[in-house]
Amino acid sequence: MHNDNLLKTYNRLDITFKKGKGTKLWDEKGNEYLDFVSGVAVNCLGHCHPIILDALKKQSEDLIHISNLYYNKPQNDLAKKLCSIGDMKKVFFCNSGTESIETALKIARKYGTTIHESKKEIIYMNNSFHGRSMGALSVTGQPKYQNNFTPLVGGMHQAEINNINSIKNIINSNTCAVIIEPIQGEGGIISCSNKFLKELKTLCTKYNALLIFDEVQCGAGRLGSFFAYKQFDIVPDIVCMAKGLGGGFPIGATLTNEKVGKCISPGDHGSTFGGNPLACAVSLAIIKELLDKDIIKEIPFKEKYLKSKFKALKDKYPCLLDISGKGLLIGIKFKDPKTIIKKCFNKKLLLVGAGENVIRLLPPLNVSYKEIDHAINILKEVLEEI
């Protein structure tokens, strides 16, 4: 359904979805699709999960929005819950991943200037993606997103992922932070090594620079722990979250440790809608469902199952070049991913690309093994055809 009223910021497929339930979507004609995109890692419990619907109904009947001039219980409860299951002590709520990144960049610069007025520089990685606002874009290491919007925010310096020497060459006393995705999502499912991240943490400590983890795509349980950093045996100073944190309802969060949180004062930052009761009630319900039902604990087994299936396909089909990722953030590298995505779409399986030649698999975290098999069988049919 083409719509000339929409600003052309996306190359949308010519399909309009009307209904969703779990991993399934139905278009206006009643055709059923298996959704392994999940709103790009957003629908962590699938479409229209009863837990989300119940939270929306109950909270909307009590209180939807009051602004941050006052406290509200869902926000208080969500902040306490997030801090209790990790190592962070302070939370700022916003509405999206990009906003959570903007918050982290501002916090980093405020922290730096409390030490010295020149401590404002931020290091980011090549091939990274942190969002499309001017601040987030300035630490996104892909020229194709940046070129039309220069000049960008100054004081940003690019290093190379998994190359500690590239960071040693540019980090100095004026560096206030290093921002990194532990697994680059949009960039092509490229994982940081544990060794690299540990050396990076040591460097940040040496120069009193903050380590910022962008967990917008890889967090909220997707890697097999609620916080992605738990998979890499280090603790960052700031964690940015969104996507799965709201399961489809807009919410973002920037979490900091005690040291960093102390540098922020009233007026330094804000968000009209951030932390509203409705968003926080939904997020809290999702977190409880993920943890209480052991959905996250099952993810390593689903990862192993998926990778074993892909390894079997790789051994048989030479066009499948590589398998990467962790948990339910899996990348499969193909010679011609666009053709495969299109053919899978024609067979009612939704997939999304990443980087130059990678297909992302982002099913809901509660996806069943039967649904995994269904997706694999469709992909196998496509590979047989090509």
Side-chain angles (χ1 to χ4, degrees), residues 89-109:
K89 300 299 181 185
K90 305 290 182 181
V91 188
F92 175 84
F93 291 113
C94 51
N95 311 287
S96 68
T98 297
E99 288 179 55
S100 72
I101 297 296
E102 290 287 334
T103 304
L105 299 179
K106 284 185 68 177
I107 291 173
R109 284 201 162 165

Side-chain angles (χ1 to χ4, degrees), residues 280-327:
C280 290
V282 171
S283 183
L284 191 61
I286 288 167
I287 294 171
K288 287 180 178 178
E289 180 76 4
L290 291 174
L291 297 177
D292 294 350
K293 299 292 179 64
D294 289 338
I295 292 170
I296 293 176
K297 286 184 178 180
E298 184 68 19
I299 289 174
F301 302 101
K302 292 177 180 177
E303 174 194 349
K304 185 177 180 180
Y305 186 77
L306 257 172
K307 285 185 173 178
S308 69
K309 294 287 185 178
F310 283 127
K311 187 179 184 303
L313 292 179
K314 184 175 181 291
D315 291 341
K316 186 174 181 180
Y317 303 101
C319 64
L320 200 168
L321 304 175
D322 197 14
I323 306 156
S324 61
K326 191 172 182 64

Side-chain angles (χ1 to χ4, degrees), residues 3 12 57 62 77 93-94 96 103 109 119 136 141 161 167 173 175 185 195 226-227 254-255 271 294 306 357 363:
N3 189 331
R12 289 179 168 89
K57 183 177 185 299
D62 287 339
D77 291 347
F93 291 113
C94 51
S96 68
T103 304
R109 284 201 162 165
K119 195 173 180 66
I161 186 172
I167 296 175
S173 60
T175 304
K195 180 175 183 289
F226 186 79
F227 292 106
T254 306
L255 299 92
S271 171
D294 289 338
L306 257 172
N357 53 5

Side-chain angles (χ1 to χ4, degrees), residues 81-210:
K81 185 68 173 179
L82 286 170
C83 290
S84 72
I85 58 179
D87 302 272
M88 303 294 110
K89 300 299 181 185
K90 305 290 182 181
V91 188
F92 175 84
F93 291 113
C94 51
N95 311 287
S96 68
T98 297
E99 288 179 55
S100 72
I101 297 296
E102 290 287 334
T103 304
L105 299 179
K106 284 185 68 177
I107 291 173
R109 284 201 162 165
K110 176 72 186 295
Y111 174 82
T113 54
T114 62
I115 299 170
H116 193 276
E117 62 181 10
S118 64
K119 195 173 180 66
K120 299 179 179 179
E121 298 179 4
I122 297 173
I123 296 172
Y124 64 97
M125 301 301 122
N126 68 313
N127 205 53
S128 59
F129 183 84
H130 296 291
R132 290 182 169 89
S133 62
M134 290 303 290
L137 195 60
S138 300
V139 292
T140 288
Q142 299 190 58
K144 67 181 180 181
Y145 293 118
Q146 297 175 320
N147 289 338
N148 291 328
F149 305 102
T150 55
L152 301 172
V153 177
M156 312 299 190
H157 306 284
Q158 182 173 289
E160 185 179 344
I161 186 172
N162 287 326
N163 180 351
I164 199 63
N165 288 328
S166 73
I167 296 175
K168 288 179 178 178
N169 289 337
I170 56 178
I171 195 169
N172 58 61
S173 60
N174 290 331
T175 304
C176 67
V178 179
I179 184 168
I180 194 165
E181 302 158 274
I183 296 182
Q184 291 183 339
E186 193 280 338
I189 317 300
I190 300 167
S191 299
C192 294
S193 70
N194 286 47
K195 180 175 183 289
F196 170 71
L197 287 175
K198 287 181 179 179
E199 290 177 329
L200 177 57
K201 176 67 175 177
T202 299
L203 273 179
C204 286
T205 302
K206 177 181 177 181
Y207 287 96
N208 200 1
L210 304 180

Side-chain angles (χ1 to χ4, degrees), residues 59-79:
Q59 187 57 48
S60 65
E61 291 174 344
D62 287 339
L63 191 63
I64 294 175
H65 176 79
I66 56 168
S67 91
N68 285 302
L69 297 174
Y70 320 98
Y71 290 105
N72 72 76
K73 190 176 187 303
Q75 185 184 92
N76 290 344
D77 291 347
L78 180 57

Side-chain angles (χ1 to χ4, degrees), residues 18-25 43 45-54 56 247-248:
K18 186 177 181 180
K19 184 179 178 181
K21 189 73 174 176
T23 60
K24 304 296 195 305
L25 279 170
N43 302 318
L45 295 176
H47 296 280
C48 299
H49 193 283
I51 289 292
I52 297 175
L53 299 182
D54 186 57
L56 282 169

